[in-house]
Amino acid sequence: MEVLIRPDADDAARTVAGIVHRALAEGVTTLGLATGSSPLGVYRDLARRHRHESLSFADVHAFLLAEYLGLPPTHPRSCAQVIRRELVGSADLDPARLHLPSGTAADPAAEARRFEHCLTEAGPVGLQILGIGVNGHIGFNEPGSSLASRTRLKTLTDDTRRDNARFFGSVDDVPRHVITQGLATIGEASHLVLIATGPHKARAVAAAVEGPVTAACPASVLQLHGHATVVVDELAASQLEQQAYYRCIARHKPAGQRY
Ligand code: F6R
């Protein structure tokens, strides 16, 4: 795992956008996309690169991590709409190549299986963008999620629903259930790139990067992945014990060594 510490959230977003840009330029055609607030700066920088640096998503198949159960894809707070706004509307991502679980499927278990099948057919994901919840979740794999989990229905914790009330207006409007990719599903992506910014993420980042690998901190599963990059700002890095070493690695990166 590589940890990149950036001075601020904008720099962290530009760093992740740069990693995505390079991956697409080198032929990656499958992207995994998170929603929530963490990757928004990344998507805006990718849209800017589309406008000014000829970055194209036209050939990309994009897979979302999750969808809220009960929300149709047209709902302004659905994960589908977030990506439609950020990368379909602002760049040239083809809506027909945007894949996600349906929040309104009559049979969520069957829908989860359909989405897993879709990932198998069009995957694996070349590069997966991740955020992290303050309780260490990735996707919506809340603490206690099996490290071997696949796409399935999950119940959100009250903490996550309170956190996400900022998108919905009130906690009562935040759905209680989601269909989310599992931790093993996420782990099949070739490259995992997690972005975390702000002091409220510091504890989860430290637990994920330097704590034990445990279902109690689902993001700690990144430690088992062969190619994981964690991009944090100074505030989110503040509880990392090995900060000095991560900075030393960045300063002395051998020429040609990649993220
Ligand atoms: C949703 C997702 C979640 C978020 C996490 C952090 O697709 O992937 O894991 O990344 O809830 O949310 P923010 O970025 O809003 O703090």
Side-chain angles (χ1 to χ4, degrees):
M1 179 188 299
E2 183 156 31
V3 180
L4 304 175
I5 303 174
R6 297 302 193 231
D8 55 41
D10 286 345
D11 200 314
R14 282 195 298 273
T15 298
V16 174
I19 293 171
V20 174
H21 192 159
R22 190 189 66 203
L24 295 182
E26 291 178 350
V28 165
T29 54
T30 46
L31 280 183
L33 304 174
T35 53
S37 53
S38 302
L40 293 180
V42 177
Y43 299 147
R44 283 172 197 154
D45 197 49
L46 288 172
R48 181 194 63 74
R49 288 164 190 260
H50 166 67
R51 286 193 305 276
H52 300 297
E53 299 175 24
S54 325
L55 174 64
S56 175
F57 295 85
D59 295 330
V60 168
H61 279 274
F63 296 87
L64 293 200
L65 282 171
E67 186 55 280
Y68 291 101
L69 207 65
L71 297 195
T74 49
H75 190 287
R77 300 298 162 213
S78 68
C79 298
Q81 271 307 314
V82 171
I83 296 301
R84 288 215 172 92
R85 273 195 301 274
E86 300 298 327
L87 286 179
V88 174
S90 307
D92 60 344
L93 184 66
D94 178 355
R97 291 175 185 237
L98 182 59
H99 309 282
L100 71 158
S102 165
T104 51
D107 180 348
E111 177 59 9
R113 284 194 298 276
R114 181 202 65 79
F115 186 61
E116 280 278 332
H117 182 70
C118 171
L119 273 163
T120 309
E121 293 282 294
V125 167
L127 187 152
Q128 173 69 55
I129 298 172
L130 295 169
I132 183 171
V134 292
N135 64 4
H137 71 230
I138 54 173
F140 280 120
N141 295 280
E142 299 283 37
S145 292
S146 164
L147 302 185
S149 52
R150 312 295 313 186
T151 303
R152 69 219 182 284
L153 179 78
K154 278 296 282 185
T155 304
L156 296 178
T157 63
D158 286 342
D159 283 346
T160 297
R161 292 182 69 233
R162 270 192 292 275
D163 273 356
N164 287 0
R166 69 202 139 104
F167 303 121
F168 285 84
S170 110
V171 68
D172 295 330
D173 294 331
V174 182
R176 193 165 285 282
H177 299 103
V178 291
I179 299 178
T180 180
Q181 287 191 36
L183 294 172
T185 317
I186 292 170
E188 279 167 7
S190 306
H191 186 186
L192 303 180
V193 182
L194 185 146
I195 179 165
T197 59
H200 58 304
K201 296 292 173 75
R203 197 162 65 97
V205 167
V209 173
E210 296 177 340
V213 176
T214 166
C217 176
S220 65
V221 77
L222 265 68
Q223 294 178 39
L224 299 175
H225 197 277
H227 192 186
T229 308
V230 174
V231 183
V232 286
D233 67 357
E234 292 283 351
L235 297 168
S238 60
Q239 291 188 31
L240 289 168
E241 285 184 10
Q242 299 294 327
Q243 274 183 64
Y245 180 50
Y246 306 137
R247 293 180 206 278
C248 169
I249 293 171
R251 267 198 313 278
H252 300 290
K253 208 164 177 55
Q257 194 189 44
R258 320 286 300 268
Y259 294 135

